[in-house]
Amino acid sequence: MNLSIVDDKLQIEFTFKEQLLAVRLNKLWQISLAHIEQVTTAESESNWRELRPPASFRP
């Protein structure tokens, strides 16, 4: 993944593998900087209980 800022927009260019994993065929995404509210480099806390197989949600 390549990140860059072009013409007041965040430009994200995905590799082919990332496109397949995201099930998206768009290689290039552009997001206006005005729409970005917060950015952090800290890794979010998670644990193994958050991982669920598909269709396993019970209300």
Side-chain angles (χ1 to χ4, degrees):
M1 173 184 322
N2 291 324
L3 303 173
S4 59
I5 296 178
V6 177
D7 297 331
D8 203 29
K9 294 182 181 180
L10 172 65
Q11 183 171 313
I12 305 171
E13 185 176 351
F14 294 100
T15 64
F16 182 71
K17 183 179 178 181
E18 290 167 334
Q19 290 176 42
L20 290 177
L21 291 173
V23 192
R24 302 285 251 163
L25 298 178
N26 296 346
K27 181 176 182 169
L28 189 64
W29 288 6
Q30 290 187 340
I31 303 169
S32 175
L33 293 178
H35 290 107
I36 299 174
E37 295 180 1
Q38 182 178 7
V39 177
T40 182
T41 58
E43 188 173 336
S44 62
E45 292 183 26
S46 64
N47 58 29
W48 64 271
R49 287 183 221 132
E50 293 176 357
L51 300 176
R52 296 184 186 168
S56 67
F57 175 74
R58 289 184 286 166

